[in-house]
């Protein structure tokens, strides 16, 4: 892959550089609640602008249905990017229409523009190669060079990620280069003990990575909603907790394989349960109790790991040389169910090993809970992309950036 520094050495002043970023930030009432992904790509954009490039930034946000939807506008992200750059950032109200063309044409050397949400055009995510290619052709008219730096989207075969690099001279941005370097430390050059903490809602989202890690990790710690399918597979009552019954055979197989291969697969020993899912804004008091993981009442739902599990998991992380964490272990958005996720984050900080927080909700959690990002080895901007890389899959967006 050509690096951005190599691209800069060839000269970018006066050239239109299309940066495929990942500005897919969470919004509430039109306000950004976590700007981590914007801050992560900011150095690449700033470097290009400082070199005199006319920078055209593009991204998706959310899952609009291939048509404009104000709820998913990138306008707040463009505003925040301008604040980080300390300069005005132009904003085009469409992707390849008159606004985009006029906005890009008006750029002077060193200026930056953001075009509207790429997914407002159905061609961005189309499974039809011709439709996707036609949209890539239109995007290519906006630029002279391409820099891929949206790591959170590299596992998608989308027009701006996969097709566009084939149409323009291209290079990899600093963010993607850093992400790939970190992931190689989790796959090719692992220091042991290697501990993986997997949480989140659905075990089905993690099946492939569990399958791969059973041959690589020393310990797998399971939490979040996905843990209840494992507990059910052990024959425990899980009440009204999140459960994927169709995954019970697969989970049972993984537990057997873990035992056979010597991988320590650790499940919660106690959980916080409630009869009602909490108000995530904390407006109503939560009615909860702590019970052993094999004694969940039939009328209650597990919402966080309990204090014994927090201590157990911290002890399993303490001597780790490498830790990868993907997925909260409880409903951390509510203060009554945030202690489990907080304990995992604290254990990573205290471990002294190389720690990687695997994007998405985990990254949002550490920031929401007030942790210093610099206390971790790396906070990824792409949860899904990280998982697929660890699964050994070829990521379309990375393949497209190969020379």
């Amino acid at each position: 892959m050509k690096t951005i520094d190599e691209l800069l050495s060839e000269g970018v002043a006066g050239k239109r550089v299309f940066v495929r970023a990942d500005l897919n930030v969470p919004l509430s009432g039109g306000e950004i609640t976590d700007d981590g992904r914007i801050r992560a790509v900011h150095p690449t954009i700033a470097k290009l602008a400082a070199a005199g490039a006319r920078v055209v930034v593009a991204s998706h946000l959310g899952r609009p249905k291939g048509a404009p939807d104000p709820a998913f506008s990138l306008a707040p992200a463009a505003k925040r990017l301008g604040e980080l750059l300390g300069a005005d950032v132009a904003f085009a109200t469409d992707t390849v229409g008159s606004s985009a063309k006029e906005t890009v044409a008006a750029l002077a050397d060193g200026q930056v523009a953001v075009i509207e949400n790429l997914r407002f055009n159905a061609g961005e995510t189309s499974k039809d190669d011709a439709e996707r290619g036609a949209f890539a052709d239109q995007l290519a008219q906006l630029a002279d060079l391409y820099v891929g730096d949206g790591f959170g989207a590299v596992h998608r075969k989308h027009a701006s990620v996969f097709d566009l690099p084939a149409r323009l001279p291209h290079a990899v941005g600093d963010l993607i280069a850093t992400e790939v370097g970190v992931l190689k430390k989790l796959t090719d050059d692992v220091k042991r003990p290697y501990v993986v903490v997997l949480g989140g809602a659905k075990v089905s989202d993690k099946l492939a990575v569990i399958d791969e890690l059973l041959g690589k990790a020393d310990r797998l710690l399971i939490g979040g909603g996905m843990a209840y399918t494992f507990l059910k597979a052990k024959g425990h009552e899980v009440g009204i907790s999140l459960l994927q019954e169709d995954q019970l055979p697969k989970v049972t197989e993984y537990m057997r394989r873990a035992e056979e291969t010597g991988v320590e697969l650790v499940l919660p020993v106690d959980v916080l349960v409630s009869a009602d899912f909490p108000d995530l804004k904390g407006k109503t008091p939560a009615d909860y109790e702590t019970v052993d993981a094999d004694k969940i009442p039939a009328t209650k739902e597990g919402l966080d790991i309990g204090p014994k599990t927090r201590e157990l998991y911290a002890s399993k992380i303490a001597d780790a040389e490498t830790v990868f964490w993907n997925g909260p272990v409880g409903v951390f958005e509510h203060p009554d169910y945030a202690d489990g996720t907080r304990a995992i984050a604290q254990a990573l900080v205290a471990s002294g090993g190389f720690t990687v927080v695997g994007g998405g909700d985990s990254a949002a959690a550490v920031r929401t809970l007030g942790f210093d990002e610099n206390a971790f080895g790396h906070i990824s901007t792409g949860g899904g992309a990280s998982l697929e890389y660890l699964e050994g899959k070829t990521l379309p967006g990375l393949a497209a950036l190969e020379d």
Side-chain angles (χ1 to χ4, degrees):
M1 295 180 184
K2 177 182 285 187
T3 68
I4 189 173
D5 288 336
E6 291 172 325
L7 189 71
L8 290 172
S9 69
E10 297 170 358
V12 297
K15 294 182 179 180
R16 300 169 301 164
V17 181
F18 189 104
V19 178
R20 201 336 179 156
D22 180 7
L23 308 180
N24 185 27
V25 292
L27 299 172
S28 177
E31 297 294 321
I32 297 172
T33 59
D34 180 6
D35 68 351
R37 284 176 169 163
I38 304 175
R39 288 187 288 108
V41 76
H42 161 254
T44 290
I45 296 169
K47 183 183 289 189
L48 287 165
R54 303 178 181 191
V55 188
V56 182
V57 183
S59 176
H60 69 288
L61 192 153
R63 296 181 181 272
K65 304 299 183 181
D69 184 337
F72 298 106
S73 175
L74 279 173
K79 178 183 177 183
R80 179 59 183 141
L81 178 60
E83 292 170 352
L84 292 171
L85 290 169
D88 290 337
V89 169
F91 181 66
T93 56
D94 57 28
T95 56
V96 291
S98 59
S99 179
K101 293 174 183 176
E102 292 167 5
T103 300
V104 172
L107 288 175
D109 293 1
Q111 291 187 330
V112 179
V114 174
I115 64 173
E116 187 54 283
N117 191 335
L118 291 164
R119 291 185 182 175
F120 285 1
N121 189 304
E124 169 67 2
T125 59
S126 176
K127 296 186 183 303
D128 181 84
D129 290 348
E131 183 180 10
R132 211 176 53 247
F135 183 50
D137 288 339
Q138 291 178 292
L139 290 172
Q141 294 175 16
L142 299 175
D144 306 302
L145 303 169
Y146 177 96
V147 171
D149 216 24
F151 181 73
V154 294
H155 58 314
R156 306 295 188 191
K157 192 176 181 180
H158 291 170
S160 65
V161 176
F162 178 74
D163 301 273
L164 185 56
R167 289 157 167 79
L168 294 170
H170 52 265
V172 61
D174 287 340
L175 172 58
I176 285 185
T178 298
E179 294 272 13
V180 171
V182 166
L183 289 170
K184 286 182 177 179
K185 292 183 179 181
L186 301 178
T187 53
D188 301 335
D189 185 25
V190 182
K191 293 183 178 180
R192 299 184 180 279
Y194 179 20
V195 178
V196 177
V197 184
L198 294 177
K202 295 181 179 180
V203 69
S204 57
D205 293 340
K206 305 291 197 305
L207 288 177
V209 75
I210 293 172
D211 185 72
E212 187 71 17
L213 289 170
L214 282 175
K216 294 182 178 178
D218 298 301
R219 299 173 198 142
L220 284 176
L221 315 183
I222 306 296
M226 63 183 288
Y228 302 101
T229 301
F230 279 87
L231 292 172
K232 184 70 172 180
K234 291 192 70 173
H236 300 327
E237 169 66 58
V238 296
I240 58 173
S241 305
L242 187 61
L243 173 65
Q244 290 186 284
E245 291 197 47
D246 61 322
Q247 302 300 332
L248 288 172
K250 183 64 71 174
V251 165
T252 301
E253 177 198 340
Y254 286 163
M255 290 193 293
R256 176 188 58 77
R257 280 178 53 196
E259 186 173 358
E260 290 177 352
T261 57
V263 176
E264 191 177 0
L265 196 156
V266 189
L267 300 177
V269 294
D270 62 344
V271 295
L272 271 63
V273 298
S274 175
D276 298 301
F277 196 82
D279 178 341
L280 294 183
K281 294 182 180 179
K283 291 182 178 178
T284 58
D287 176 18
Y288 66 86
E289 62 177 325
T290 302
V291 300
D292 290 342
D294 60 353
K295 294 182 174 61
I296 298 175
T299 58
K300 295 194 175 183
E301 176 179 14
L303 296 168
D304 194 13
I305 58 173
K308 293 178 183 177
T309 305
R310 292 173 218 150
E311 292 182 10
L312 172 64
Y313 283 14
S315 72
K316 298 296 183 181
I317 293 169
D319 67 343
E321 288 293 330
T322 305
V323 187
F324 174 68
W325 171 32
N326 182 282
V329 296
V331 187
F332 75 91
E333 298 91 341
H334 190 285
D336 289 333
Y337 304 109
D339 287 344
T341 299
R342 182 181 289 108
I344 296 296
Q346 185 58 55
L348 263 69
V349 171
S351 74
F354 177 63
T355 56
V356 179
V357 180
D361 288 340
S362 307
V366 299
R367 288 188 278 263
T368 298
L369 297 175
F371 285 88
D372 180 357
E373 294 180 47
N374 295 322
F376 303 90
H378 180 70
I379 297 180
S380 178
T381 58
S386 297
L387 289 177
E388 291 198 15
Y389 189 99
L390 294 180
E391 291 164 19
K393 291 183 177 179
T394 297
L395 306 187
L398 294 184
L401 293 171
E402 296 286 352
D403 293 332

